[in-house]
Amino acid sequence: MKTIFSLFHYHQYSIATARIPSTNSTTRSFWSTVAISLQHHHAPPSAPLYLRTASKSEAENTLISLIKSCARISHLCQIHCYLIRTSFLLNPTIFLCFLSRIALPPFQNIPYSYRTFLNYPNHNISLYNTMIRAFSLSDSSFLGFELYREMVHFGISADALSLLSALKCSIKMGSLLNGLQVHGMIFRDGHISDCFLSSALVDFYSVNRKYDEACKVFAEMSYRDTVAWNSLISCQIKNKRTRDALTAFDIMERSEGPRPDDVTCLFLLEACANLNALEFGERVHDYVTSCGLSGSIKICNTLVAMYSRCGSIEKAYEVFKNMPRKDVVTWSSMISGLASNGYGRDAIEAFMEMQRVGIAPDDQTFTGVLSGCSHSGLVDEGLMFFDCMRKEFGVVPNIYHYGCMVDLMGRAGLLDKAYELISRMEAKPDAAVWRTLLGACRIHKNAILGERVVEHLIELKAEEAGDYVLLLNIYSSIGDWEKVMKIRKLMKEKRIQTTPACSTIELNGKIHEFIADDVSHPRKKEIYEKLDEINDQLRIAGYVSEITAELHNTDVEKKRTTLSYHSEKLAIAFGVLSTPPGTKIRVAKDLRICVDCHNFAKILSAVYNRVVIIRDRHRSHHFREGHCSCNDYW
DNA sequence: CTAGGGTTAG
């Protein structure tokens, strides 16, 4: 026996095969060892090997373990031929095993597996399930749903797995109707208590923006495990109920039920980043450490991102520094973090360091580098990186890279160059790219180009309230009130409604939310009084509200009043009111901060001697002693 | 006769 194994070891397969005793004495463990040995050496299975097996069941078991352990698709093809020749393929167990292997990851060869599936004479439910699941993981999920229908049509009633796969197909193909049908079947057949199905349903309603339905499914679950909670938390983040995600974590941590796991923490760190909730983020960090999850590279990468997005670049660097292994995601997170916090030069430095340690940059690394250049006004450097990314690193610029370049050129006033760049990009420019250029037109008060950009947005049928607001801003900044009226009328006709911006501030781990002219907060009277007081103080220090930031062509005094109650100002006032002097005030805003609020925060940081950090949808603005980290490169 | 399956970083 030993000799045979050593022959295998030295890749002498044919000699080894010849020496295998053809008696019944060969045991199952022997054949499994042979199978593993072959797999270990990536050796193709040799057909005569199996023909000589002692009994049929021995051969079956060997084949199954061999199929399961095959490391290459080409070996599976060879086994396939062998199975056909020996009629082993008609064995349902072996066929199912074979089909799952070629249809599911890591091979996922859909054409091959579907062809094989179609050629099989008797389809049972397991085969259907495997095939539907394979489709649900592929790009042709609609075929999976068709197969599910076909199965039901042929009188095979769907079980939990069929329904799960059909549901995943509906999610992937984005069909609300199909998913609802599956939910109906789940309900009808009494699978509603299946934890896996309910979690998938939560996810289904989540991606279809039906938050209440998702909550309903979750509430009706008889038992909720960690994954079910994770699905809910993911749903809350996707559906702008990020604060509820923090609450959900609270409940999980306090109750005796399922423990938050690494995935829960990933979601929570994202939630904290979205809300600029540094304290809560630190709490999750502590939890991660206490559970021994701090060795996970995924978690650490997300921690780096969370701390940077919360404007705490020091803490981000701390985590980054202590990571024993750093991959491309780690470096990209650090680079993007430096970039969004106004450290463009350091972002470039980190990019150089990354190459010194031999990590190849990818597309997202360049997004970080280029956005760093654009935020810090490093025009030449940005152009240089954009030029060399394809030539030297083989990274083809995507739409985000073009977005960064448009931003870079746009801020620098090279509006026509930016327009030209968009016109000759190989990918079709999306709304975000045009919107970036529109933002630049706003900064440089270029109404003519602004109009052209909006036309492109209309052509894409992607115009949003925010775009018209930018255009309005351009007109009002140059005092063209006639055009302002025209646009407002147009907006009314098109029934475009402005969505109120929302700002959040964290106090003692609790998130407070404000929208413009908000009156919902329990301490609203105090807050408004404080804000009026702040406004008076700042005016003494020379703050003049930038009235062009407001749209309406009303009298100046009224404009000043409207501007006074922007959501970020309310949040800042609340921060000044409720924290002792010297405490940092950190605010998150879902849209972009306006010029006026920018000035407001800048002067406030000097007058009240507070560090104010505002994170809008693009970056963090650090205000300290009357200065801003972005050097007013707004 | 059963198993199979749901959430996942920049």
Side-chain angles (χ1 to χ4, degrees):
Chain A
M1 280 297 184
K2 264 196 175 159
T3 344
I4 296 169
F5 285 138
S6 63
L7 283 167
F8 274 119
H9 188 77
Y10 291 110
H11 300 242
Q12 304 290 322
Y13 307 111
S14 48
I15 306 172
T17 312
R19 289 204 187 173
I20 290 171
S22 53
T23 59
N24 289 354
S25 65
T26 44
T27 62
R28 182 180 170 179
S29 68
F30 170 79
W31 285 107
S32 333
T33 322
V34 169
I36 290 161
S37 177
L38 285 167
Q39 187 263 328
H40 186 70
H41 295 291
H42 300 296
S46 47
L49 215 74
Y50 310 107
L51 289 171
R52 289 210 233 141
T53 37
S55 70
K56 206 169 178 187
S57 71
E58 287 296 331
E60 258 180 51
N61 287 329
T62 313
L63 279 171
I64 288 176
S65 59
L66 192 58
I67 292 167
K68 279 189 179 160
S69 60
C70 252
R72 293 183 188 178
I73 190 87
S74 59
H75 296 171
L76 279 165
C77 292
Q78 289 183 37
I79 291 178
H80 193 181
C81 298
Y82 174 74
L83 293 175
I84 293 168
R85 259 192 296 127
T86 54
S87 303
F88 269 124
L89 199 68
L90 293 171
N91 177 320
T93 323
I94 291 183
F95 185 76
L96 177 62
C97 179
F98 182 77
L99 186 73
S100 345
R101 237 3 227 153
I102 56 174
L104 300 176
F107 299 122
Q108 268 186 299
N109 192 326
I110 294 293
Y112 180 25
S113 48
Y114 191 47
R115 214 166 48 235
T116 314
F117 170 83
L118 287 177
N119 286 332
Y120 195 71
N122 33 16
H123 293 152
N124 60 26
I125 186 162
S126 303
L127 292 180
Y128 269 113
N129 284 351
T130 306
M131 208 57 235
I132 299 169
R133 195 168 120 72
F135 277 125
S136 80
L137 299 169
S138 76
D139 295 330
S140 26
S141 45
F142 62 99
L143 282 173
F145 202 86
E146 284 308 308
L147 201 60
Y148 159 78
R149 284 220 174 100
E150 185 194 293
M151 180 183 98
V152 176
H153 177 76
F154 286 149
I156 302 173
S157 62
D159 67 1
L161 190 62
S162 335
L163 292 168
L164 186 69
S165 306
L167 189 59
K168 293 205 83 182
C169 288
S170 324
I171 293 174
K172 194 138 193 189
M173 63 203 269
S175 164
L176 178 64
L177 228 55
N178 288 353
L180 288 172
Q181 258 181 48
V182 177
H183 190 173
M185 296 304 282
I186 292 170
F187 188 77
R188 195 199 68 175
D189 297 347
H191 291 297
I192 205 73
S193 58
D194 188 314
C195 199
F196 284 71
L197 277 174
S198 299
S199 303
L201 275 175
V202 170
D203 196 44
F204 162 70
Y205 284 117
S206 164
V207 301
N208 284 290
R209 298 287 131 102
K210 306 271 179 212
Y211 180 71
D212 295 337
E213 294 295 318
C215 287
K216 204 170 153 230
V217 173
F218 183 80
E220 285 169 0
M221 288 176 78
S222 51
Y223 171 74
R224 303 171 193 100
D225 63 3
T226 300
V227 181
W229 279 95
N230 290 349
S231 305
L232 178 77
I233 291 172
S234 139
C235 169
Q236 288 163 332
I237 294 173
K238 272 185 206 138
N239 289 280
K240 314 230 159 167
R241 304 296 286 261
T242 319
R243 283 161 75 200
D244 297 334
L246 304 194
T247 317
F249 181 77
D250 253 340
I251 297 168
M252 279 181 91
E253 222 191 350
R254 270 205 309 267
S255 70
E256 292 295 307
R259 300 282 78 204
D261 65 357
D262 51 340
V263 179
T264 322
C265 293
L266 290 176
F267 283 134
L268 251 100
L269 291 173
E270 193 196 330
C272 293
N274 288 345
L275 293 167
N276 209 0
L278 186 63
E279 275 179 50
F280 208 105
E282 285 170 338
R283 205 181 117 188
V284 178
H285 192 171
D286 290 339
Y287 179 83
V288 159
T289 316
S290 70
C291 302
L293 291 169
S294 47
S296 153
I297 193 157
K298 263 189 188 177
I299 290 278
C300 290
N301 289 343
T302 315
L303 275 169
V304 171
M306 183 276 290
Y307 279 129
S308 338
R309 288 184 61 203
C310 287
S312 180
I313 200 73
E314 304 85 5
K315 290 229 165 88
Y317 184 66
E318 184 77 26
V319 177
F320 173 83
K321 203 177 60 187
N322 292 327
M323 285 173 68
R325 231 186 82 233
K326 298 180 181 70
D327 62 7
V328 59
V329 180
T330 320
W331 283 96
S332 308
S333 311
M334 198 63 234
I335 291 170
S336 305
L338 289 164
S340 66
N341 282 283
Y343 300 97
R345 295 248 175 239
D346 299 87
I348 294 174
E349 195 46 52
F351 177 72
M352 298 305 184
E353 182 61 29
M354 172 183 179
Q355 276 155 258
R356 274 195 286 275
V357 299
I359 305 277
D362 67 4
D363 51 343
Q364 298 208 49
T365 319
F366 278 103
T367 310
V369 174
L370 293 178
S371 78
C373 293
S374 91
H375 288 343
S376 300
L378 307 169
V379 180
D380 295 335
E381 289 84 346
L383 289 167
M384 189 270 286
F385 281 118
F386 186 70
D387 186 51
C388 79
M389 59 185 280
R390 189 203 296 256
K391 283 185 206 151
E392 279 181 41
F393 299 94
V395 178
V396 180
N398 63 26
I399 204 120
Y400 300 106
H401 301 126
Y402 277 100
C404 290
M405 293 316 286
V406 170
D407 196 49
L408 181 91
M409 294 172 175
R411 282 168 193 275
L414 307 166
L415 293 179
D416 295 327
K417 247 187 122 177
Y419 187 87
E420 197 197 309
L421 183 74
I422 297 179
S423 323
R424 59 184 168 83
M425 49 192 278
E426 54 271 86
K428 190 176 159 57
D430 69 346
V433 173
W434 289 119
R435 209 160 278 145
T436 306
L437 184 57
L438 190 58
C441 293
R442 157 75 187 85
I443 298 172
H444 297 285
K445 304 181 179 176
N446 188 332
I448 299 160
L449 189 59
E451 279 169 18
R452 273 169 79 189
V453 173
V454 170
E455 272 167 33
H456 282 288
L457 282 165
I458 292 171
E459 196 185 313
L460 283 169
K461 293 191 171 51
E463 76 270 33
E464 282 173 6
D467 305 327
Y468 288 101
V469 171
L470 275 174
L471 194 59
L472 277 171
N473 275 320
I474 298 173
Y475 289 134
S476 66
S477 69
I478 56 173
D480 191 341
W481 301 114
E482 206 174 299
K483 283 277 178 57
V484 169
M485 297 303 280
K486 212 177 121 194
I487 298 289
R488 292 201 79 86
K489 200 168 146 242
L490 187 74
M491 284 173 78
K492 241 180 209 161
E493 278 167 13
K494 288 197 169 197
R495 292 171 188 236
I496 290 171
Q497 292 196 333
T498 46
T499 41
C502 166
S503 296
T504 54
I505 184 167
E506 179 191 43
L507 283 178
N508 304 319
K510 194 172 178 294
I511 308 295
H512 299 261
E513 205 171 60
F514 295 92
I515 52 171
D517 305 309
D518 202 337
V519 286
S520 63
H521 199 275
R523 294 173 68 182
K524 62 175 185 220
K525 190 156 175 283
E526 281 174 85
I527 296 167
Y528 276 82
E529 276 169 13
K530 189 74 195 176
L531 186 51
D532 289 340
E533 182 205 309
I534 293 172
N535 271 320
D536 290 340
Q537 290 288 327
L538 297 192
R539 220 162 282 158
I540 293 167
Y543 161 71
V544 187
S545 54
E546 175 103 19
I547 47 172
T548 53
E550 193 53 39
L551 319 167
H552 318 277
N553 178 23
T554 47
D555 60 283
V556 174
E557 222 20 70
K558 197 175 165 206
K559 261 184 225 167
R560 290 232 162 90
T561 336
T562 330
L563 269 177
S564 309
Y565 303 122
H566 268 183
S567 64
E568 49 269 61
K569 288 186 184 171
L570 289 169
I572 292 171
F574 182 59
V576 174
L577 180 71
S578 355
T579 57
T583 319
K584 284 183 186 175
I585 295 173
R586 44 182 73 253
V587 170
K589 190 180 179 188
D590 57 350
L591 302 174
R592 268 179 103 143
I593 181 175
C594 76
V595 204
D596 181 53
C597 290
H598 192 273
N599 290 337
F600 176 89
K602 197 168 80 173
I603 298 171
L604 181 134
S605 73
V607 174
Y608 283 78
N609 195 21
R610 293 274 197 149
V611 175
V612 181
I613 302 167
I614 304 180
R615 221 268 326 286
D616 68 10
R617 64 188 298 173
H618 291 283
R619 58 211 260 211
S620 285
H621 302 258
H622 294 246
F623 302 94
R624 188 193 301 267
E625 293 165 7
H627 295 283
C628 175
S629 61
C630 63
N631 302 321
D632 293 328
Y633 199 75
W634 190 76

